[in-house]
Amino acid sequence: MGSLETGVPLKKGSSFRTQSIGRSERNPLSQRFRSRFSRLLYKKLDYIQWICTVAVFLFFVGPILRFRQRFWRNSGDKLVRRISTGHNQQFGYRKPQLALVFGELLVDSQQLLMVTVAAALLDIGYAIQVYSLEDGPVHGVWKNLGVPVAIIQTCEKSENRVDWLNYDGIFVNSLEAKGVFSCFIQEPFKSLPLIWTIHEDVLAYRSRQYSTTGQIELLNDWKRVFNRSTVIVFPNYALPMIYSTFDAGNFYVLPGSPAKVWEADMFMALDNDKLRVEMGYGPKDIIVAIVGSQFFYKDLCLEHAIILQSLSPLLAEFPQNSDNSSVHLRIIVLSADSSNNYSMALEAIADNLKYPRGVVEHLAEGSHANSVLDTADLVIYGSFLEEQSFPDILLKAMCFGKPIIAPDIPMIRKYVDDKVNGYLYPKENSRILSKIVSEVISKGKISPLARNIASIGRSTAKNLLVLEIVEGYASLLQIILKLPSEVALPKSVSEISPKLKEQWQWHLFEAVENLTYLNRTSRSHSFLDKYEEQWNYTQRYRSGATVAANDSFLYSIWEEEKLIEMTNKRRRREEEEIKGRTDQSRATWEDVYRNAKRADRSKNDLHERGERELERTGQPLCIYEPYYGEGIWRFLHHRSLYRGIGLSTKGRRPGADDIDAPSRLPLLSNPYYRDILGEYGAFFAIANRIDSIHKNAWIGFQSWRAIGRKVSLSKTAEDALLQAIETRKHGDTLYFWVRRNCKFAFSEALKRMYGIKHDLDSLPPMPVDGDTWSVMQSWALPTRSFLEFVMFSRMFIDALDAQMYEEHHLSGHCYLSLSKDKHCYSRLLELLVNVWAYHSARRMVYLNPETGLMQEQHKFKNRRGKMWIKWFSYSTLKSMDEDLAETSDSEDASRRWLWPLTGEVFWHGIFERERNLRHREKEKRKQKSREKLTRMRNRHRQKVIGKYVKPPPEEVESLNTSMLTSRLA
């Protein structure tokens, strides 16, 4: 059994479209719809046939309308309540996908934080993929967690082929991952939700240096990265303040990180036995560290004075003498202000409080914090400022196992229980502070109770703020992610397992061999140094500046490497072309030259043809690759079998013979329809006057996303496809190489997603035989069959547009999605070719994209009695196409109607109109000629005013004789 009407050629501009449905109506079987549609079909179809045809066109729209009536009209806000309560897993068939991008997989606190967050996200239904620019020991940690890891390159390199559209959200971690941002600044990845976590302050201080040294372009480059991020997450409230230069209104703080815990553990693991001696303290001295807020404010000096006054009674227990064996009291004040003025102010306060010289010492917090906290016996938090998060310095003191005393401000009281894991005192009563200090330090030593409380405090601090971090990231994702309708919504934040919110995932890192902690600050400095060096070198090269003498050697190496790369690339291209010419049969060069000259004459545009264009002329097949934006360039092929087609004038590949789709189909210049149609816009652009651009007997399309998913055609599969086409192995066939199961991946998903509890017999039956069908718009067809498919597609898409345009264009909401979706039904359209091929009796053959093996799907013997051949036949489609063209030609062209904009409007009446027009013009020209001749005959002639009188013959003869005689004389 073959295809129907395969011998009938398609006329120029063939197309197919359903009649436009009234935009103000929502019932597809309304009187207005029936009257308008039946006006096109009454000559061809009876009533029963008309009902079947309507069902075909509403194959997908019918369930959608029933869904809308069921949930929007009858249930009111029931759907919203179900979404908000998290009980709507039935609406999707895949998990929300997240990508975590790192600069490197080395052991540090940020890796621990993200592993902990990822474990919680996996628990509530997310799927996660990790990408890194460099490998490292944490690779195994992610593997043990069940998360796949891939090592990629920066986006400036063409080898980086990651389809980021596979993910609903992107996490970028650390400054070292900056090289990946160039991917997300280009289309079509610009609109992806992106969360960038920054735990380092080095870039903030470098930015001030950029402004001072005039490196404005480098500063702007970082600003573009900050502006691109949807949300930038900081672990404390100080970082957003020092990064204020880059603030684009997208800063977000999730307080908490295991960084302080890890830093304290690593510092204590060092050999610090001689640290006290190196700092000038005795082994038995009692050291009290006064710490405070990381912010400097005007009342800080007064608060330190209050703390010193409360500690002054301790002086009685530590008599001052020169005996080194005696116990001395040492008080160290750590503050963010490292200036000499503040040291002098503290010295003056100590003198007024009768402190002996040398007892009170002021140190800067940044460079001495770990040393002071490690040597201190008691840590007092001496800042009364209302903090928005638990102070980092106090957390680190608890991690060092020191007893802490802090004011009972709300943020501290939330995590510190008085006399359980620390001591609290009211900030209004300094006497209680003196009492607590006397309890902690008894007889010149730290009391056993205080040591026990410090031990409990260390256990508390080890996993402090895990709950807030895990729930904070999960809540943030729910806010910024816009999940399409095929995605099952994750569980609510409250359903995260309690075990995953109690502690960081320390146990996963214990199995890492050679566990070493590298200082992230130093690594960030090193990264910025390399980045600045590379940036400056690039700027010098672009500006044409003279290379310095010390850089000449490096520059020569770079030039040599570039020359070698160009030579190798040219050789590989020549080898591929030679191999392609030998492996694939081609027409003779005489035919190629003849076809090229014929095309030039038809276009009246003589130009020099490229090698790929000449080779493509003699091929039986051309595969088009639709793309939109520079981010897709690396996914496209550069061989003659393929040709790119840009869906937008912007972002075109320079130097490539790609097709500009908007110039062929102006509809694609409209961003709304470019997004809503997706790759279907390329189909319409190619089919519109196809003879002027496509000369091959077969036509194919391959989505750029097929390469990202590693399902694109290999060289072996390409050869197998070309051989099958040239030998006509399967006849008029739909070859496809990206597949999906018919029943379970789509039909059942639609039923679950839209609440359809029964089968609809009025719709065209689709196969349930276990075979697969085409997805991702990667298939090949005879060019003639492709034009027939475009006829059907134009009609079907117009029906969808008529139903959905009004609400979707105004509000952004689509029947096919629970949230705003600018692509709306573009994902549904990729399945439409299967419906058409199945019911138009085309063979459907799956081509393995790797091996080239072919397997026929939905064989004809299983299709008998199930295909709606009559309603998908060429004669039916063509007659409806002509009727629609006649309607379009006769109705008001100013009304909104999608079908005339998707291709050429052509019907047989245009022949008569053009012939009549030519006849009238010919008659008009003849009439003008006759009138001209009549005017010439009847014009008035002017009489001669004077004329020449010829003399008699004898006078002429005598005159000639006299002239001859005079000459002889």
Side-chain angles (χ1 to χ4, degrees):
M1 185 175 181
S3 61
L4 192 64
E5 302 265 349
T6 55
V8 180
L10 295 182
K11 297 180 181 179
K12 179 181 179 182
S14 299
S15 56
F16 184 65
R17 172 199 176 270
T18 57
Q19 179 60 288
S20 177
I21 303 173
R23 296 194 300 271
S24 62
E25 301 173 355
R26 288 294 179 262
N27 186 357
L29 298 179
S30 64
Q31 180 62 35
R32 183 178 180 185
F33 175 82
R34 291 197 298 269
S35 62
R36 297 186 63 189
F37 202 176
S38 59
R39 189 167 65 247
L40 298 175
L41 301 179
Y42 76 96
K43 295 182 181 180
K44 305 292 182 182
L45 309 174
D46 58 20
Y47 181 76
I48 297 178
Q49 296 171 344
W50 171 80
I51 289 293
C52 296
T53 306
V54 172
V56 171
F57 301 144
L58 299 178
F59 172 59
F60 297 112
V61 179
I64 296 167
L65 297 177
R66 289 171 174 79
F67 166 76
R68 181 181 185 274
Q69 293 172 356
R70 177 177 302 179
F71 289 97
W72 262 264
R73 293 183 179 178
N74 299 336
S75 300
D77 61 346
K78 184 185 299 183
L79 178 62
V80 177
R81 291 197 301 270
R82 295 181 66 184
I83 294 175
S84 62
T85 55
H87 299 293
N88 59 331
Q89 290 84 353
Q90 64 178 22
F91 286 94
Y93 62 86
R94 73 167 177 87
K95 295 180 178 180
Q97 304 282 332
L98 298 178
L100 273 60
V101 184
F102 297 92
E104 50 202 2
L105 295 178
L106 300 179
V107 178
D108 59 23
S109 59
Q110 196 160 350
Q111 288 283 341
L112 175 60
L113 184 148
M114 294 311 302
V115 167
T116 304
V117 172
L121 295 179
L122 291 172
D123 183 61
I124 59 176
Y126 287 92
I128 298 176
Q129 167 76 53
V130 168
Y131 292 98
S132 180
L133 298 178
E134 296 181 11
D135 205 350
V138 186
H139 190 142
V141 175
W142 288 108
K143 185 177 180 180
N144 294 335
L145 190 62
V147 176
V149 179
I151 306 302
I152 60 175
Q153 296 178 326
T154 59
C155 288
E156 288 80 3
K157 298 181 180 180
S158 60
E159 292 81 3
N160 182 19
R161 294 178 176 179
V162 179
D163 182 4
W164 300 107
L165 293 183
N166 289 332
Y167 304 100
D168 303 295
I170 311 292
F171 272 96
V172 179
N173 301 275
S174 77
L175 301 177
E176 289 81 359
K178 197 265 181 187
V180 184
F181 271 95
S182 57
C183 292
F184 308 120
I185 297 177
Q186 300 171 344
E187 290 287 0
F189 309 123
K190 292 176 65 174
S191 58
L192 282 174
L194 191 150
I195 302 174
W196 188 18
T197 60
I198 299 180
H199 288 224
E200 312 89 349
D201 58 2
V202 294
L203 178 60
Y205 297 114
R206 290 287 184 102
S207 65
R208 303 173 185 176
Q209 180 181 349
Y210 300 154
S211 301
T212 304
T213 58
Q215 295 176 296
I216 304 301
E217 289 297 328
L218 181 57
L219 184 64
N220 292 337
D221 181 64
W222 281 105
K223 285 184 177 180
R224 282 191 289 269
V225 175
F226 277 81
N227 293 338
R228 166 58 186 92
S229 303
T230 308
V231 177
I232 299 175
V233 179
F234 297 101
N236 55 61
Y237 289 93
L239 285 177
M241 298 178 64
I242 63 178
Y243 275 99
S244 59
T245 304
F246 303 102
D247 190 1
N250 53 358
F251 285 2
Y252 193 81
V253 175
L254 285 176
S257 168
K260 303 302 179 183
V261 182
W262 202 312
E263 185 179 346
D265 289 345
M266 293 300 106
F267 191 85
M268 288 189 296
L270 302 175
D271 186 10
N272 297 324
D273 294 339
K274 299 180 180 180
L275 184 59
R276 281 200 168 209
V277 177
E278 293 175 356
M279 296 182 66
Y281 307 129
K284 297 182 180 180
D285 290 349
I286 294 297
I287 302 175
V288 178
I290 301 176
V291 299
S293 174
Q294 56 188 328
F295 304 105
F296 183 78
Y297 51 96
K298 63 179 181 179
D299 294 334
L300 181 61
C301 188
L302 175 61
E303 293 169 353
H304 283 165
I306 295 175
I307 301 300
L308 290 176
Q309 183 180 10
S310 301
L311 293 176
S312 59
L314 286 177
L315 295 174
E317 298 186 21
F318 299 93
Q320 299 296 318
N321 53 55
S322 59
D323 187 3
N324 294 331
S325 61
S326 60
V327 180
H328 298 89
L329 175 65
R330 303 290 187 182
I331 299 177
I332 304 175
V333 179
L334 284 176
S335 68
D337 188 357
S338 59
S339 62
N340 293 330
N341 291 335
Y342 195 77
S343 298
M344 295 173 61
L346 284 178
E347 185 177 351
I349 294 174
D351 291 339
N352 291 334
L353 295 175
K354 309 301 182 183
Y355 276 93
R357 183 171 297 275
V359 173
V360 179
E361 182 181 2
H362 173 243
L363 294 176
E365 180 179 320
S367 58
H368 301 92
N370 290 336
S371 300
V372 171
L373 293 178
D374 190 31
T375 57
D377 298 291
L378 173 65
V379 177
I380 299 177
Y381 190 76
S383 175
F384 303 152
L385 183 68
E386 294 287 344
E387 299 279 357
Q388 294 179 290
S389 63
F390 194 82
D392 289 343
I393 190 68
L394 194 60
L395 174 63
K396 186 182 291 188
M398 297 173 68
C399 295
F400 274 101
K402 308 301 179 179
I404 62 167
I405 304 175
D408 60 347
I409 57 181
M411 188 52 65
I412 296 179
R413 187 172 62 246
K414 182 179 180 181
Y415 301 99
V416 176
D417 293 335
D418 189 24
K419 297 183 180 180
V420 176
N421 56 4
Y423 293 90
L424 297 178
Y425 67 92
K427 63 180 181 179
E428 300 85 2
N429 194 340
S430 60
R431 294 182 179 179
I432 297 181
L433 174 59
S434 301
K435 181 180 179 181
I436 295 175
V437 172
S438 63
E439 294 177 359
V440 173
I441 302 176
S442 176
K443 298 180 181 180
K445 296 182 179 179
I446 301 298
S447 65
L449 178 61
R451 295 186 184 277
N452 184 47
I453 290 176
S455 178
I456 299 175
R458 186 175 188 276
S459 178
T460 302
K462 187 176 180 64
N463 296 294
L464 196 68
L465 300 174
V466 177
L467 172 67
E468 288 76 2
I469 287 294
V470 169
E471 292 187 348
Y473 274 101
S475 301
L476 178 62
L477 285 175
Q478 292 186 356
I479 294 173
I480 69 172
L481 294 189
K482 298 179 180 179
L483 300 177
S485 56
E486 72 269 15
V487 175
L489 296 183
K491 300 177 184 178
S492 63
V493 176
S494 60
E495 296 183 65
I496 299 176
S497 175
K499 294 182 179 180
L500 300 175
K501 298 186 290 186
E502 293 176 354
Q503 60 181 2
W504 306 107
Q505 299 293 315
W506 299 102
H507 64 282
L508 294 177
F509 285 77
E510 293 174 355
V512 177
E513 297 181 359
N514 300 324
L515 180 62
T516 56
Y517 175 77
L518 299 179
N519 188 281
R520 169 161 288 278
T521 302
S522 63
R523 283 156 50 202
S524 299
H525 276 293
S526 177
F527 166 75
L528 290 178
D529 290 339
K530 293 180 180 179
Y531 184 76
E532 292 170 11
E533 181 181 357
Q534 180 183 4
W535 173 273
N536 294 331
Y537 178 79
T538 304
Q539 291 298 107
R540 291 198 303 268
Y541 175 72
R542 290 179 178 177
S543 61
T546 304
V547 181
N550 56 348
D551 293 336
S552 60
F553 179 70
L554 295 176
Y555 183 77
S556 63
I557 294 178
W558 181 82
E559 284 289 337
E560 183 179 357
E561 181 66 21
K562 182 179 178 181
L563 181 61
I564 294 174
E565 183 180 355
M566 292 176 61
T567 304
N568 293 336
K569 185 181 296 185
R570 187 182 301 109
R571 186 178 66 253
R572 287 194 301 267
R573 185 176 66 249
E574 292 175 354
E575 291 175 354
E576 289 177 358
E577 292 175 355
I578 293 174
K579 182 179 179 181
R581 293 169 186 169
T582 57
D583 291 347
Q584 301 177 10
S585 59
R586 297 286 189 272
T588 62
W589 279 109
E590 289 77 11
D591 294 336
V592 174
Y593 179 76
R594 190 182 305 111
N595 292 335
K597 295 296 291 182
R598 186 184 300 115
D600 284 338
R601 287 194 300 269
S602 64
K603 292 167 47 177
N604 194 23
D605 181 20
L606 298 177
H607 65 280
E608 184 179 356
R609 289 175 170 263
E611 296 179 2
R612 288 199 296 269
E613 189 174 359
L614 287 172
E615 289 185 9
R616 194 179 297 119
T617 305
Q619 292 177 168
L621 169 68
C622 179
I623 300 177
Y624 295 93
E625 295 181 308
Y627 69 91
Y628 173 62
E630 298 180 10
I632 303 178
W633 289 357
R634 60 182 63 91
F635 295 90
L636 305 180
H637 289 83
H638 298 273
R639 291 184 282 119
S640 60
L641 182 62
Y642 299 89
R643 190 175 188 184
I645 173 169
L647 299 178
S648 174
T649 303
K650 298 180 179 179
R652 292 279 303 280
R653 287 189 295 178
D657 61 340
D658 296 345
I659 299 172
D660 185 15
S663 65
R664 296 188 56 81
L665 192 71
L667 177 67
L668 298 180
S669 299
N670 186 333
Y672 173 78
Y673 280 109
R674 183 176 60 234
D675 294 334
I676 208 74
L677 294 177
E679 295 180 351
Y680 251 80
F683 301 165
F684 295 153
I686 294 293
N688 190 27
R689 297 176 175 85
I690 191 172
D691 294 337
S692 64
I693 196 169
H694 181 74
K695 308 293 183 181
N696 309 88
W698 282 67
I699 188 172
F701 292 88
Q702 179 169 269
S703 174
W704 63 268
R705 305 189 69 180
I707 295 181
R709 298 187 182 183
K710 298 182 180 180
V711 289
S712 61
L713 290 179
S714 64
K715 190 63 173 62
T716 303
E718 292 172 1
D719 295 340
L721 177 60
L722 290 172
Q723 184 179 3
I725 289 175
E726 291 176 345
T727 59
R728 300 185 178 181
K729 182 177 181 180
H730 299 97
D732 190 353
T733 306
L734 171 70
Y735 293 100
F736 62 96
W737 47 91
V738 185
R739 62 178 179 174
R740 185 181 298 168
N741 184 274
C742 301
K743 182 69 175 178
F744 297 101
F746 183 73
S747 300
E748 291 299 319
L750 273 183
K751 291 179 182 179
R752 287 165 39 213
M753 182 161 55
Y754 297 114
I756 301 174
K757 301 299 182 182
H758 58 278
D759 293 327
L760 300 176
D761 298 332
S762 60
L763 300 180
M766 289 306 295
V768 290
D769 51 9
D771 287 349
T772 58
W773 58 1
S774 170
V775 293
M776 288 181 61
Q777 307 292 12
S778 298
W779 42 259
L781 274 174
T783 302
R784 179 180 56 218
S785 299
F786 167 71
L787 292 177
E788 186 176 336
F789 169 61
V790 170
M791 277 199 300
F792 173 76
S793 300
R794 290 180 63 189
M795 193 170 184
F796 185 89
I797 290 175
D798 180 72
L800 286 177
D801 179 76
Q803 284 291 327
M804 301 183 181
Y805 175 84
E806 190 73 20
E807 182 173 351
H808 182 255
H809 185 73
L810 295 178
S811 66
H813 290 281
C814 176
Y815 297 150
L816 302 178
S817 178
L818 297 178
S819 60
K820 292 184 178 181
D821 186 2
K822 67 178 181 179
H823 298 287
C824 193
Y825 48 79
S826 62
R827 290 183 297 274
L828 180 145
L829 293 180
E830 70 179 273
L831 306 172
L832 188 59
V833 67
N834 302 276
V835 180
W836 170 81
Y838 183 88
H839 288 284
S840 63
R842 260 78 178 182
R843 292 184 184 274
M844 304 174 70
V845 176
Y846 169 69
L847 171 66
N848 189 300
E850 183 176 357
T851 63
L853 297 179
M854 298 183 181
Q855 182 182 6
E856 184 174 354
Q857 307 290 304
H858 318 299
K859 296 181 179 180
F860 284 122
K861 64 179 181 180
N862 299 329
R863 288 201 235 171
R864 294 183 183 276
K866 301 178 181 178
M867 296 181 293
W868 290 24
I869 299 177
K870 186 174 182 179
W871 318 123
F872 285 78
S873 66
Y874 169 76
S875 58
T876 301
L877 301 183
K878 183 58 181 173
S879 62
M880 298 182 69
D881 175 77
E882 292 180 351
D883 290 342
L884 291 171
E886 182 179 1
T887 303
S888 174
D889 191 43
S890 59
E891 290 190 359
D892 183 13
S894 61
R895 74 180 182 93
R896 199 198 72 80
W897 186 12
L898 180 61
W899 181 85
L901 306 178
T902 55
E904 187 178 7
V905 177
F906 186 84
W907 65 292
H908 60 84
I910 294 180
F911 283 127
E912 299 179 1
R913 179 185 302 174
E914 292 178 350
R915 183 176 58 189
N916 293 335
L917 179 61
R918 289 194 300 269
H919 179 70
R920 288 195 299 269
E921 291 179 350
K922 183 178 180 180
E923 290 296 327
K924 187 176 182 180
R925 288 194 300 270
K926 288 182 178 180
Q927 180 65 26
K928 288 182 178 180
S929 299
R930 288 193 294 268
E931 292 177 354
K932 183 177 180 180
L933 291 174
T934 302
R935 288 195 304 270
M936 291 176 64
R937 293 191 186 99
N938 298 332
R939 66 184 178 183
H940 178 73
R941 298 182 179 275
Q942 180 69 33
K943 292 183 179 181
V944 178
I945 298 177
K947 62 181 179 179
Y948 171 74
V949 180
K950 187 176 181 180
E954 59 276 9
E955 293 182 3
V956 174
E957 183 177 356
S958 62
L959 179 59
N960 292 338
T961 303
S962 62
M963 291 176 64
L964 179 60
T965 303
S966 63
R967 288 178 181 177
L968 292 175

